[in-house]
Amino acid sequence: GQWRRKKGPAPARPLPPKRAVKKLPRKAINQELFDIEVKQVNLEKQGVKLEKSIREICAADDAKENAGRDSLGPEAEDLIIQLFDLVNEKNELFRRQTELIYMKKENRLEEVHAELEFQIRVIMAKPDCQRTDDDKVMEEKLITKLVEVVHQRNFIVDCLEMDRRREMEEDNALEDHLSNYAAVKPEEEKPQIALMKLLKRKKKKKKYKEDEEKDIDTSE
């Protein structure tokens, strides 16, 4: 019995494979984001010209004697329709821009998520007798970071859902206002002014949203 060969240490556990994350075509996305910004600038310039033309027509109409307050005339109505279509197009561009930005952000978080999972599994693959106090501390830190990443990914999903609901409400409000602007009573605010105020309010909301999105990294 004294010559019995001693039992050696157990072989190390094989390292788990790192979870693969689908790569995004970031160059193509960055190019699309650039194109969207160029189109938004052009649409903004067109919108300013349309608003100026509408105000000039309304001012000229008010200067006439016995000018009717419940009729804009075919020219002004056509310009308002063009302005409405322009705002819709700009909003669609902004929504696509937001979607792309969130897509890039979510993809980066998924890559970080996969890396943290891999590091945690490497530590857990060590036998208990080989795990040091530093390994335990590192494991706790990695788990904390992993939870933060999960919260950030959930936040992005919630933001997209909130944006979708808000955009539907704004679109419905704008369409209702446009369809009913001709029915505004004479003693109420002029329909074209009320409509343009609504368009201005939508654009201000969009600008505020753009300022919020500057905090999200869109670099390569």
Side-chain angles (χ1 to χ4, degrees):
Q2 60 180 344
W3 301 109
R4 182 183 300 173
R5 188 170 63 179
K6 295 182 179 180
K7 187 177 181 180
R13 299 176 184 175
L15 292 179
K18 184 177 178 180
R19 180 167 59 89
V21 178
K22 183 179 179 181
K23 295 293 183 180
L24 284 180
R26 291 182 178 174
K27 289 185 178 181
I29 291 177
N30 289 337
Q31 182 62 45
E32 185 176 355
L33 287 171
F34 176 79
D35 295 339
I36 288 175
E37 291 180 359
V38 173
K39 292 179 181 178
Q40 287 175 334
V41 172
N42 293 332
L43 291 176
E44 184 68 26
K45 293 179 180 179
Q46 296 177 26
V48 172
K49 292 180 180 179
L50 287 174
E51 290 180 8
K52 183 179 179 181
S53 299
I54 294 172
R55 294 184 183 278
E56 290 176 352
I57 293 175
C58 294
D61 183 68
D62 291 343
K64 298 178 182 179
E65 295 182 0
N66 300 325
R69 296 175 59 88
D70 57 348
S71 178
L72 302 178
E75 185 178 2
E77 291 178 356
D78 181 65
L79 292 178
I80 288 180
I81 296 297
Q82 292 181 34
L83 183 62
F84 172 75
D85 292 338
L86 186 146
V87 172
N88 273 342
E89 184 178 356
K90 186 178 179 181
N91 288 344
E92 289 298 327
L93 289 174
F94 177 80
R95 292 166 188 175
R96 177 57 178 170
Q97 182 185 46
T98 303
E99 180 184 358
L100 292 174
I101 292 174
Y102 278 141
M103 188 185 302
K104 292 180 63 177
K105 180 67 174 179
E106 203 280 335
N107 184 255
R108 288 193 180 91
L109 290 175
E110 188 176 2
E111 291 176 348
V112 174
H113 193 159
E115 179 63 27
L116 292 173
E117 282 182 339
F118 175 74
Q119 294 181 17
I120 292 173
R121 289 174 180 173
V122 169
I123 295 177
M124 295 180 65
K126 293 182 178 181
D128 293 339
C129 60
Q130 296 181 8
R131 296 179 63 182
T132 63
D133 293 338
D134 292 339
D135 290 333
K136 296 179 181 179
V137 173
M138 178 59 66
E139 181 181 359
E140 293 179 358
K141 290 182 178 179
L142 292 174
I143 292 176
T144 301
K145 291 182 180 180
L146 184 62
V147 173
E148 293 176 356
V149 170
V150 172
H151 288 330
Q152 292 179 28
R153 296 182 66 181
N154 292 337
F155 177 75
I156 290 178
V157 174
D158 294 339
C159 286
L160 288 173
E161 179 62 22
M162 291 175 60
D163 286 347
R164 186 187 65 83
R165 294 181 181 180
R166 176 178 51 78
E167 289 162 1
M168 290 180 59
E169 294 175 357
E170 290 180 351
D171 289 344
N172 293 334
L174 185 58
E175 290 177 1
D176 292 342
H177 203 94
L178 182 67
S179 61
N180 298 328
Y181 78 91
V184 176
K185 296 180 180 179
E187 62 271 13
E188 295 179 351
E189 186 178 24
K190 286 190 175 183
Q192 68 273 18
I193 303 301
L195 176 61
M196 292 173 68
K197 282 186 176 181
L198 181 60
L199 296 176
K200 284 287 187 181
R201 183 165 68 250
K202 284 175 67 63
K203 289 194 290 185
K204 287 181 179 179
K205 287 183 178 180
K206 296 300 180 182
K207 181 62 171 63
Y208 175 74
K209 185 64 177 177
E210 289 173 1
D211 293 338
E212 286 184 330
E213 295 303 334
K214 290 180 181 179
D215 295 335
I216 298 181
D217 180 23
T218 60
S219 60
E220 184 63 29

